[in-house]
Amino acid sequence: MPHKNSTKLSHKERVNTIIEYIDVHIENPVYRLDLDTLASVACLSGYHISRIFKSHTGEGIHQYVKRLRLENAAKQLLYSKKTIQHIAELSSYHNFPAFTKAFKQHFGCPPSDFRERKNIVDFHDVYPIHTERLVKGKNIIDMQTKNLPDQKVVFMLKIGPYEDAANRAWAGLMQYAYSQQLITRETTNIGITYDMPEFTHEEKIRYCACITIDHNHKAQGDIGTKLIPGGRFATFIHQGPYAELCYTYDYIYNDWYSKNNVTLSNHPSFSIYLTDPIKVEPENLLTEIYVPIE
């Protein structure tokens, strides 16, 4: 039994390694993200890593990489000024008709139509809420521009519907962090949502719970370590329940972005939780959202 458990932990570590490698290099066409390359990264045969990866994520490696590339392309179409040809190349499609065909198969329309219609989801149907709050971003009590250094974190990644994935990630990470005495007065809690619900099916949403550390730490199993890239960020302080963060994100990407002359970075946005939900009422919770900009 101990051998079986250690093997299971080893498999999780290797899947974490592959997912992190893909996330770092997904928008750089110089890096090959084929089975042979990823098997080498995980130090396993292609057969074994393919089987292990699918058992943990529910998707084959090729399917996973292709989907992320197309979903990242969708974000670029809506929230960047890059040409469609350039976006296709960043998505590792050097044959433009092949990119158009793959994009249409995934999203139901060619990339040019996708870019023109902008609001691809009616958020009033998905997230029922008072229109005035949605349009004006009433949960936002402060907006600034900040520069941050890289942040070293211990993390746990979970996949599934946002609330469920976030709850599982934080429960697992905190149990581990306290057992390893990683929590200090200086610890910052950070949540990263890699996917946008208007592009990604809820069962495939990736949520990463992170805590900052100031030293090297050897993680294992579901737990990993990484650097959250620093840089320049537009920041927004959201006051209110975590369940309403989606409305603030919607305001940022579909209202604030369209009215401000900014270029979004390719890195994912993240949230820093400023208050303790155990001690603070939901309507008074403060969450600082960091949107990377160039």
Side-chain angles (χ1 to χ4, degrees):
M1 185 65 72
H3 173 71
K4 183 177 289 187
N5 287 338
S6 65
T7 300
K8 190 174 182 180
L9 287 174
S10 175
H11 287 173
K12 290 179 180 178
E13 290 171 12
R14 292 169 196 263
V15 171
N16 269 342
T17 299
I18 291 176
I19 288 176
E20 184 65 17
Y21 186 88
I22 292 171
D23 285 340
V24 170
H25 301 300
I26 190 69
E27 293 182 343
N28 190 336
V30 172
Y31 288 87
R32 294 174 60 85
L33 298 179
D34 56 21
L35 181 59
D36 289 342
T37 300
L38 297 175
S40 177
V41 168
C43 300
L44 282 176
S45 70
Y47 169 77
H48 282 98
I49 198 58
S50 180
R51 180 174 56 83
I52 293 166
F53 188 88
K54 187 168 186 177
S55 72
H56 281 80
T57 66
E59 289 183 279
I61 288 177
H62 174 74
Q63 180 186 11
Y64 180 85
V65 170
K66 180 180 179 181
R67 177 176 63 79
L68 289 192
R69 280 176 169 156
L70 291 172
E71 290 174 356
N72 282 338
K75 295 175 191 175
Q76 295 288 331
L77 286 167
L78 293 187
Y79 306 120
S80 84
K81 299 175 177 64
K82 298 182 179 76
T83 66
I84 298 178
Q85 181 77 44
H86 188 198
I87 292 171
E89 292 170 356
L90 291 174
S91 305
S92 295
Y93 285 89
H94 301 293
N95 181 317
F96 187 69
F99 171 70
T100 299
K101 180 180 179 181
F103 192 93
K104 186 174 182 179
Q105 286 177 339
H106 192 77
F107 288 104
C109 66
S112 56
D113 289 354
F114 189 92
R115 167 166 271 179
E116 289 172 4
R117 65 177 177 167
K118 295 289 185 179
N119 295 317
I120 59 171
V121 168
D122 186 345
F123 277 79
H124 299 273
D125 292 336
V126 179
Y127 305 119
I129 192 169
H130 195 282
T131 302
E132 186 179 4
R133 170 174 284 181
L134 179 64
V135 173
K136 295 185 178 180
K138 281 193 170 181
N139 289 83
I140 298 174
I141 62 173
D142 184 63
M143 290 185 279
Q144 296 184 36
T145 300
K146 296 182 180 180
N147 291 298
L148 281 187
D150 294 345
Q151 299 181 87
K152 184 183 298 184
V153 298
V154 172
F155 72 91
M156 175 176 277
L157 176 74
K158 292 296 181 183
I159 300 173
Y162 173 80
E163 186 174 353
D164 175 65
N167 288 340
R168 288 186 290 119
W170 281 113
L173 179 62
M174 284 304 177
Q175 181 180 18
Y176 176 85
Y178 279 111
S179 73
Q180 299 294 312
Q181 299 182 328
L182 297 177
I183 304 295
T184 70
R185 289 182 178 273
E186 287 72 41
T187 298
T188 300
N189 295 344
I190 302 173
I192 306 174
T193 305
Y194 288 98
D195 308 293
M196 301 179 74
E198 59 266 49
F199 304 148
T200 306
H201 190 280
E202 66 170 6
E203 296 298 330
K204 294 180 171 62
I205 294 286
R206 297 167 296 156
Y207 181 89
C208 191
C210 312
I211 60 167
T212 55
I213 55 174
D214 59 5
H215 59 279
N216 292 328
H217 178 76
K218 174 62 176 175
Q220 62 178 359
D222 272 352
I223 306 297
T225 59
K226 65 178 177 179
L227 283 180
I228 297 177
R232 186 165 174 254
F233 296 85
T235 68
F236 307 80
I237 294 184
H238 165 102
Q239 179 176 332
Y242 295 146
E244 293 185 2
L245 280 168
C246 55
Y247 313 134
T248 296
Y249 272 105
D250 179 47
Y251 167 80
I252 293 169
Y253 284 100
N254 292 296
D255 194 331
W256 175 84
Y257 170 76
S258 65
K259 295 177 181 177
N260 290 270
N261 186 27
V262 297
T263 300
L264 301 185
S265 165
N266 291 338
H267 297 303
S269 58
F270 58 85
S271 299
I272 293 181
Y273 303 103
L274 303 177
T275 46
D276 187 341
I278 297 177
K279 300 177 182 178
V280 177
E281 292 297 320
E283 62 270 19
N284 294 321
L285 289 171
L286 297 178
T287 306
E288 190 165 21
I289 297 170
Y290 284 73
V291 178
I293 57 178
E294 296 180 355

